[in-house]
mmCIF file of all heavy atoms in Angstrom:
data_model
loop_
_atom_site.group_PDB
_atom_site.id
_atom_site.type_symbol
_atom_site.label_atom_id
_atom_site.label_comp_id
_atom_site.label_asym_id
_atom_site.label_seq_id
_atom_site.Cartn_x
_atom_site.Cartn_y
_atom_site.Cartn_z
ATOM 1 N N PRO P 213 -11.739 -25.051 58.541
ATOM 2 C CA PRO P 213 -10.383 -24.515 58.348
ATOM 3 C C PRO P 213 -9.492 -25.428 57.520
ATOM 4 O O PRO P 213 -8.732 -24.955 56.662
ATOM 5 C CB PRO P 213 -9.867 -24.356 59.788
ATOM 6 C CG PRO P 213 -11.101 -24.191 60.617
ATOM 7 C CD PRO P 213 -12.119 -25.061 59.971
ATOM 8 N N TYR P 214 -9.572 -26.740 57.756
ATOM 9 C CA TYR P 214 -8.748 -27.667 56.974
ATOM 10 C C TYR P 214 -9.172 -27.649 55.507
ATOM 11 O O TYR P 214 -8.313 -27.627 54.602
ATOM 12 C CB TYR P 214 -8.882 -29.077 57.543
ATOM 13 C CG TYR P 214 -8.073 -30.114 56.787
ATOM 14 C CD1 TYR P 214 -6.695 -30.196 56.950
ATOM 15 C CD2 TYR P 214 -8.698 -30.996 55.903
ATOM 16 C CE1 TYR P 214 -5.948 -31.143 56.243
ATOM 17 C CE2 TYR P 214 -7.962 -31.935 55.204
ATOM 18 C CZ TYR P 214 -6.590 -32.012 55.372
ATOM 19 O OH TYR P 214 -5.859 -32.936 54.680
ATOM 20 N N ASP P 215 -10.453 -27.642 55.249
ATOM 21 C CA ASP P 215 -10.951 -27.576 53.875
ATOM 22 C C ASP P 215 -10.464 -26.306 53.188
ATOM 23 O O ASP P 215 -10.023 -26.331 52.028
ATOM 24 C CB ASP P 215 -12.471 -27.637 53.899
ATOM 25 C CG ASP P 215 -13.074 -27.649 52.501
ATOM 26 O OD1 ASP P 215 -12.428 -28.191 51.578
ATOM 27 O OD2 ASP P 215 -14.193 -27.128 52.329
ATOM 28 N N ALA P 216 -10.520 -25.177 53.898
ATOM 29 C CA ALA P 216 -10.130 -23.897 53.304
ATOM 30 C C ALA P 216 -8.633 -23.827 53.039
ATOM 31 O O ALA P 216 -8.194 -23.394 51.966
ATOM 32 C CB ALA P 216 -10.552 -22.752 54.223
ATOM 33 N N GLU P 217 -7.819 -24.251 54.001
ATOM 34 C CA GLU P 217 -6.378 -24.109 53.845
ATOM 35 C C GLU P 217 -5.807 -25.073 52.808
ATOM 36 O O GLU P 217 -4.866 -24.727 52.083
ATOM 37 C CB GLU P 217 -5.676 -24.294 55.193
ATOM 38 C CG GLU P 217 -5.978 -23.194 56.193
ATOM 39 C CD GLU P 217 -5.769 -21.807 55.611
ATOM 40 O OE1 GLU P 217 -4.695 -21.559 55.014
ATOM 41 O OE2 GLU P 217 -6.674 -20.974 55.728
ATOM 42 N N THR P 218 -6.346 -26.278 52.712
ATOM 43 C CA THR P 218 -5.885 -27.186 51.664
ATOM 44 C C THR P 218 -6.265 -26.653 50.285
ATOM 45 O O THR P 218 -5.502 -26.798 49.321
ATOM 46 C CB THR P 218 -6.453 -28.597 51.868
ATOM 47 O OG1 THR P 218 -7.877 -28.523 52.002
ATOM 48 C CG2 THR P 218 -5.863 -29.245 53.116
ATOM 49 N N ALA P 219 -7.443 -26.049 50.180
ATOM 50 C CA ALA P 219 -7.853 -25.475 48.894
ATOM 51 C C ALA P 219 -6.964 -24.298 48.514
ATOM 52 O O ALA P 219 -6.585 -24.145 47.337
ATOM 53 C CB ALA P 219 -9.317 -25.030 48.965
ATOM 54 N N ARG P 220 -6.596 -23.462 49.464
ATOM 55 C CA ARG P 220 -5.723 -22.326 49.159
ATOM 56 C C ARG P 220 -4.331 -22.793 48.736
ATOM 57 O O ARG P 220 -3.743 -22.266 47.791
ATOM 58 C CB ARG P 220 -5.610 -21.404 50.375
ATOM 59 C CG ARG P 220 -6.876 -20.654 50.709
ATOM 60 C CD ARG P 220 -6.575 -19.336 51.397
ATOM 61 N NE ARG P 220 -5.768 -19.503 52.584
ATOM 62 C CZ ARG P 220 -4.874 -18.605 53.004
ATOM 63 N NH1 ARG P 220 -4.663 -17.500 52.320
ATOM 64 N NH2 ARG P 220 -4.197 -18.811 54.121
ATOM 65 N N LEU P 221 -3.807 -23.785 49.428
ATOM 66 C CA LEU P 221 -2.489 -24.311 49.053
ATOM 67 C C LEU P 221 -2.545 -24.964 47.677
ATOM 68 O O LEU P 221 -1.612 -24.817 46.870
ATOM 69 C CB LEU P 221 -2.007 -25.309 50.106
ATOM 70 C CG LEU P 221 -0.696 -26.044 49.791
ATOM 71 C CD1 LEU P 221 0.430 -25.068 49.483
ATOM 72 C CD2 LEU P 221 -0.314 -26.971 50.930
ATOM 73 N N ASP P 222 -3.614 -25.678 47.391
ATOM 74 C CA ASP P 222 -3.737 -26.310 46.078
ATOM 75 C C ASP P 222 -3.776 -25.267 44.972
ATOM 76 O O ASP P 222 -3.215 -25.470 43.888
ATOM 77 C CB ASP P 222 -4.990 -27.179 46.046
ATOM 78 C CG ASP P 222 -5.081 -28.005 44.775
ATOM 79 O OD1 ASP P 222 -4.124 -28.755 44.486
ATOM 80 O OD2 ASP P 222 -6.096 -27.910 44.077
ATOM 81 N N ALA P 223 -4.426 -24.132 45.216
ATOM 82 C CA ALA P 223 -4.445 -23.047 44.223
ATOM 83 C C ALA P 223 -3.054 -22.484 44.005
ATOM 84 O O ALA P 223 -2.670 -22.141 42.876
ATOM 85 C CB ALA P 223 -5.401 -21.946 44.682
ATOM 86 N N LEU P 224 -2.270 -22.368 45.068
ATOM 87 C CA LEU P 224 -0.888 -21.907 44.929
ATOM 88 C C LEU P 224 -0.086 -22.893 44.080
ATOM 89 O O LEU P 224 0.658 -22.501 43.172
ATOM 90 C CB LEU P 224 -0.253 -21.752 46.308
ATOM 91 C CG LEU P 224 1.168 -21.170 46.411
ATOM 92 C CD1 LEU P 224 1.389 -20.588 47.794
ATOM 93 C CD2 LEU P 224 2.247 -22.203 46.133
ATOM 94 N N LEU P 225 -0.219 -24.169 44.350
ATOM 95 C CA LEU P 225 0.546 -25.185 43.624
ATOM 96 C C LEU P 225 0.152 -25.227 42.152
ATOM 97 O O LEU P 225 0.975 -25.550 41.291
ATOM 98 C CB LEU P 225 0.324 -26.562 44.264
ATOM 99 C CG LEU P 225 0.775 -26.701 45.717
ATOM 100 C CD1 LEU P 225 0.444 -28.094 46.247
ATOM 101 C CD2 LEU P 225 2.262 -26.420 45.865
ATOM 102 N N GLN P 226 -1.087 -24.909 41.864
ATOM 103 C CA GLN P 226 -1.528 -24.912 40.475
ATOM 104 C C GLN P 226 -0.855 -23.808 39.684
ATOM 105 O O GLN P 226 -0.677 -23.933 38.463
ATOM 106 C CB GLN P 226 -3.049 -24.750 40.419
ATOM 107 C CG GLN P 226 -3.640 -24.859 39.028
ATOM 108 C CD GLN P 226 -5.150 -24.765 39.028
ATOM 109 O OE1 GLN P 226 -5.753 -24.511 40.072
ATOM 110 N NE2 GLN P 226 -5.769 -24.969 37.892
ATOM 111 N N ASP P 227 -0.466 -22.728 40.339
ATOM 112 C CA ASP P 227 0.107 -21.578 39.648
ATOM 113 C C ASP P 227 1.606 -21.677 39.428
ATOM 114 O O ASP P 227 2.151 -20.924 38.625
ATOM 115 C CB ASP P 227 -0.185 -20.290 40.431
ATOM 116 C CG ASP P 227 -1.621 -19.837 40.261
ATOM 117 O OD1 ASP P 227 -2.320 -20.420 39.412
ATOM 118 O OD2 ASP P 227 -2.050 -18.922 40.971
ATOM 119 N N ILE P 228 2.312 -22.543 40.150
ATOM 120 C CA ILE P 228 3.767 -22.569 40.040
ATOM 121 C C ILE P 228 4.181 -23.430 38.850
ATOM 122 O O ILE P 228 3.465 -24.338 38.425
ATOM 123 C CB ILE P 228 4.433 -23.069 41.340
ATOM 124 C CG1 ILE P 228 4.133 -24.549 41.576
ATOM 125 C CG2 ILE P 228 3.978 -22.227 42.525
ATOM 126 C CD1 ILE P 228 4.833 -25.115 42.793
ATOM 127 N N GLY P 229 5.378 -23.154 38.306
ATOM 128 C CA GLY P 229 5.893 -23.909 37.182
ATOM 129 C C GLY P 229 6.584 -25.190 37.615
ATOM 130 O O GLY P 229 6.832 -25.425 38.800
ATOM 131 N N GLU P 230 6.916 -26.007 36.637
ATOM 132 C CA GLU P 230 7.539 -27.297 36.932
ATOM 133 C C GLU P 230 8.876 -27.125 37.643
ATOM 134 O O GLU P 230 9.202 -27.874 38.569
ATOM 135 C CB GLU P 230 7.723 -28.076 35.623
ATOM 136 C CG GLU P 230 8.249 -29.481 35.805
ATOM 137 C CD GLU P 230 7.291 -30.368 36.608
ATOM 138 O OE1 GLU P 230 6.072 -30.150 36.520
ATOM 139 O OE2 GLU P 230 7.779 -31.269 37.323
ATOM 140 N N ALA P 231 9.664 -26.130 37.216
ATOM 141 C CA ALA P 231 10.975 -25.933 37.834
ATOM 142 C C ALA P 231 10.865 -25.480 39.286
ATOM 143 O O ALA P 231 11.746 -25.769 40.104
ATOM 144 C CB ALA P 231 11.778 -24.910 37.026
ATOM 145 N N GLU P 232 9.767 -24.783 39.619
ATOM 146 C CA GLU P 232 9.630 -24.250 40.971
ATOM 147 C C GLU P 232 9.332 -25.338 42.003
ATOM 148 O O GLU P 232 9.459 -25.093 43.201
ATOM 149 C CB GLU P 232 8.527 -23.185 40.998
ATOM 150 C CG GLU P 232 8.919 -21.921 40.253
ATOM 151 C CD GLU P 232 7.803 -20.903 40.188
ATOM 152 O OE1 GLU P 232 6.678 -21.289 39.807
ATOM 153 O OE2 GLU P 232 8.054 -19.717 40.511
ATOM 154 N N TRP P 233 8.955 -26.522 41.549
ATOM 155 C CA TRP P 233 8.781 -27.622 42.497
ATOM 156 C C TRP P 233 10.096 -28.008 43.159
ATOM 157 O O TRP P 233 10.107 -28.627 44.225
ATOM 158 C CB TRP P 233 8.179 -28.833 41.789
ATOM 159 C CG TRP P 233 6.709 -28.714 41.556
ATOM 160 C CD1 TRP P 233 6.085 -28.246 40.446
ATOM 161 C CD2 TRP P 233 5.673 -29.046 42.489
ATOM 162 N NE1 TRP P 233 4.726 -28.261 40.614
ATOM 163 C CE2 TRP P 233 4.436 -28.758 41.860
ATOM 164 C CE3 TRP P 233 5.660 -29.564 43.779
ATOM 165 C CZ2 TRP P 233 3.217 -28.976 42.476
ATOM 166 C CZ3 TRP P 233 4.432 -29.790 44.392
ATOM 167 C CH2 TRP P 233 3.229 -29.483 43.751
ATOM 168 N N HIS P 234 11.200 -27.644 42.535
ATOM 169 C CA HIS P 234 12.521 -27.961 43.083
ATOM 170 C C HIS P 234 13.164 -26.752 43.766
ATOM 171 O O HIS P 234 14.349 -26.813 44.117
ATOM 172 C CB HIS P 234 13.435 -28.477 41.966
ATOM 173 C CG HIS P 234 12.867 -29.653 41.229
ATOM 174 N ND1 HIS P 234 12.800 -30.917 41.780
ATOM 175 C CD2 HIS P 234 12.312 -29.754 39.988
ATOM 176 C CE1 HIS P 234 12.235 -31.748 40.906
ATOM 177 N NE2 HIS P 234 11.929 -31.062 39.822
ATOM 178 N N ALA P 235 12.399 -25.675 43.934
ATOM 179 C CA ALA P 235 12.937 -24.496 44.632
ATOM 180 C C ALA P 235 13.251 -24.855 46.085
ATOM 181 O O ALA P 235 12.479 -25.562 46.741
ATOM 182 C CB ALA P 235 11.926 -23.351 44.580
ATOM 183 N N PRO P 236 14.380 -24.397 46.610
ATOM 184 C CA PRO P 236 14.736 -24.745 47.994
ATOM 185 C C PRO P 236 13.827 -24.060 49.012
ATOM 186 O O PRO P 236 13.473 -22.887 48.864
ATOM 187 C CB PRO P 236 16.179 -24.241 48.117
ATOM 188 C CG PRO P 236 16.307 -23.176 47.076
ATOM 189 C CD PRO P 236 15.405 -23.576 45.948
ATOM 190 N N VAL P 237 13.445 -24.815 50.026
ATOM 191 C CA VAL P 237 12.606 -24.313 51.124
ATOM 192 C C VAL P 237 13.279 -24.719 52.432
ATOM 193 O O VAL P 237 13.688 -25.874 52.580
ATOM 194 C CB VAL P 237 11.184 -24.892 51.074
ATOM 195 C CG1 VAL P 237 10.351 -24.363 52.238
ATOM 196 C CG2 VAL P 237 10.514 -24.568 49.745
ATOM 197 N N ARG P 238 13.383 -23.772 53.345
ATOM 198 C CA ARG P 238 13.972 -24.083 54.647
ATOM 199 C C ARG P 238 12.869 -24.113 55.706
ATOM 200 O O ARG P 238 12.248 -23.106 56.002
ATOM 201 C CB ARG P 238 15.047 -23.059 55.016
ATOM 202 C CG ARG P 238 15.793 -23.383 56.301
ATOM 203 C CD ARG P 238 17.086 -22.602 56.406
ATOM 204 N NE ARG P 238 18.044 -23.000 55.402
ATOM 205 C CZ ARG P 238 18.831 -24.071 55.491
ATOM 206 N NH1 ARG P 238 18.762 -24.862 56.551
ATOM 207 N NH2 ARG P 238 19.683 -24.343 54.535
ATOM 208 N N LEU P 239 12.635 -25.303 56.257
ATOM 209 C CA LEU P 239 11.637 -25.484 57.304
ATOM 210 C C LEU P 239 12.269 -25.182 58.657
ATOM 211 O O LEU P 239 13.369 -25.648 58.955
ATOM 212 C CB LEU P 239 11.093 -26.920 57.279
ATOM 213 C CG LEU P 239 10.462 -27.375 55.958
ATOM 214 C CD1 LEU P 239 9.997 -28.820 56.072
ATOM 215 C CD2 LEU P 239 9.310 -26.471 55.568
ATOM 216 N N LYS P 240 11.549 -24.408 59.464
ATOM 217 C CA LYS P 240 12.074 -24.002 60.768
ATOM 218 C C LYS P 240 11.131 -24.460 61.879
ATOM 219 O O LYS P 240 9.915 -24.469 61.695
ATOM 220 C CB LYS P 240 12.241 -22.474 60.827
ATOM 221 C CG LYS P 240 13.149 -21.890 59.762
ATOM 222 C CD LYS P 240 13.158 -20.368 59.843
ATOM 223 C CE LYS P 240 14.004 -19.747 58.749
ATOM 224 N NZ LYS P 240 13.971 -18.255 58.808
ATOM 225 N N TRP P 241 11.702 -24.809 63.013
ATOM 226 C CA TRP P 241 10.910 -25.106 64.192
ATOM 227 C C TRP P 241 11.791 -24.954 65.427
ATOM 228 O O TRP P 241 13.000 -24.696 65.322
ATOM 229 C CB TRP P 241 10.264 -26.491 64.117
ATOM 230 C CG TRP P 241 11.193 -27.665 64.215
ATOM 231 C CD1 TRP P 241 11.477 -28.394 65.320
ATOM 232 C CD2 TRP P 241 11.962 -28.247 63.151
ATOM 233 N NE1 TRP P 241 12.369 -29.393 65.038
ATOM 234 C CE2 TRP P 241 12.666 -29.329 63.699
ATOM 235 C CE3 TRP P 241 12.115 -27.971 61.791
ATOM 236 C CZ2 TRP P 241 13.529 -30.118 62.944
ATOM 237 C CZ3 TRP P 241 12.957 -28.764 61.051
ATOM 238 C CH2 TRP P 241 13.639 -29.823 61.611
ATOM 239 N N PHE P 242 11.210 -25.097 66.597
ATOM 240 C CA PHE P 242 11.897 -24.900 67.874
ATOM 241 C C PHE P 242 11.962 -26.256 68.574
ATOM 242 O O PHE P 242 10.927 -26.905 68.787
ATOM 243 C CB PHE P 242 11.129 -23.885 68.722
ATOM 244 C CG PHE P 242 11.856 -23.415 69.942
ATOM 245 C CD1 PHE P 242 12.863 -22.479 69.859
ATOM 246 C CD2 PHE P 242 11.524 -23.909 71.201
ATOM 247 C CE1 PHE P 242 13.529 -22.036 70.996
ATOM 248 C CE2 PHE P 242 12.172 -23.474 72.339
ATOM 249 C CZ PHE P 242 13.183 -22.528 72.232
ATOM 250 N N ASP P 243 13.172 -26.697 68.915
ATOM 251 C CA ASP P 243 13.330 -28.032 69.510
ATOM 252 C C ASP P 243 13.298 -28.027 71.034
ATOM 253 O O ASP P 243 13.619 -29.032 71.668
ATOM 254 C CB ASP P 243 14.625 -28.679 69.032
ATOM 255 C CG ASP P 243 15.872 -27.965 69.550
ATOM 256 O OD1 ASP P 243 15.737 -26.888 70.164
ATOM 257 O OD2 ASP P 243 16.979 -28.500 69.349
ATOM 258 N N GLY P 244 12.900 -26.927 71.648
ATOM 259 C CA GLY P 244 12.850 -26.831 73.100
ATOM 260 C C GLY P 244 13.922 -25.933 73.668
ATOM 261 O O GLY P 244 13.721 -25.282 74.696
ATOM 262 N N LYS P 245 15.085 -25.905 73.007
ATOM 263 C CA LYS P 245 16.177 -25.066 73.478
ATOM 264 C C LYS P 245 16.527 -23.954 72.501
ATOM 265 O O LYS P 245 17.028 -22.907 72.908
ATOM 266 C CB LYS P 245 17.417 -25.928 73.719
ATOM 267 C CG LYS P 245 17.236 -26.975 74.809
ATOM 268 C CD LYS P 245 18.504 -27.794 74.998
ATOM 269 C CE LYS P 245 18.323 -28.861 76.075
ATOM 270 N NZ LYS P 245 19.546 -29.689 76.271
ATOM 271 N N GLY P 246 16.318 -24.189 71.261
ATOM 272 C CA GLY P 246 16.654 -23.188 70.251
ATOM 273 C C GLY P 246 16.006 -23.527 68.923
ATOM 274 O O GLY P 246 15.392 -24.576 68.739
ATOM 275 N N GLN P 247 16.166 -22.618 67.968
ATOM 276 C CA GLN P 247 15.560 -22.782 66.663
ATOM 277 C C GLN P 247 16.436 -23.666 65.780
ATOM 278 O O GLN P 247 17.666 -23.504 65.740
ATOM 279 C CB GLN P 247 15.364 -21.420 65.992
ATOM 280 C CG GLN P 247 14.427 -21.412 64.804
ATOM 281 C CD GLN P 247 14.202 -20.009 64.254
ATOM 282 O OE1 GLN P 247 15.148 -19.313 63.910
ATOM 283 N NE2 GLN P 247 12.944 -19.596 64.184
ATOM 284 N N VAL P 248 15.835 -24.618 65.102
ATOM 285 C CA VAL P 248 16.540 -25.487 64.170
ATOM 286 C C VAL P 248 15.825 -25.411 62.828
ATOM 287 O O VAL P 248 14.707 -24.884 62.719
ATOM 288 C CB VAL P 248 16.570 -26.955 64.674
ATOM 289 C CG1 VAL P 248 17.392 -27.069 65.941
ATOM 290 C CG2 VAL P 248 15.154 -27.471 64.911
ATOM 291 N N SER P 249 16.487 -25.941 61.785
ATOM 292 C CA SER P 249 15.896 -25.874 60.451
ATOM 293 C C SER P 249 16.320 -27.095 59.643
ATOM 294 O O SER P 249 17.278 -27.787 59.981
ATOM 295 C CB SER P 249 16.312 -24.585 59.727
ATOM 296 O OG SER P 249 17.713 -24.552 59.519
#
Side-chain angles (χ1 to χ4, degrees):
Y214 179 76
D215 183 32
E217 293 309 310
T218 53
R220 291 208 304 147
L221 175 54
D222 187 56
L224 185 157
L225 298 178
Q226 185 177 6
D227 284 351
I228 68 176
E230 185 63 31
E232 290 176 310
W233 282 94
H234 305 287
V237 179
R238 185 163 293 279
L239 302 179
K240 302 176 183 178
W241 69 97
F242 190 78
D243 67 353
K245 297 180 181 179
Q247 195 176 56
V248 294
S249 63

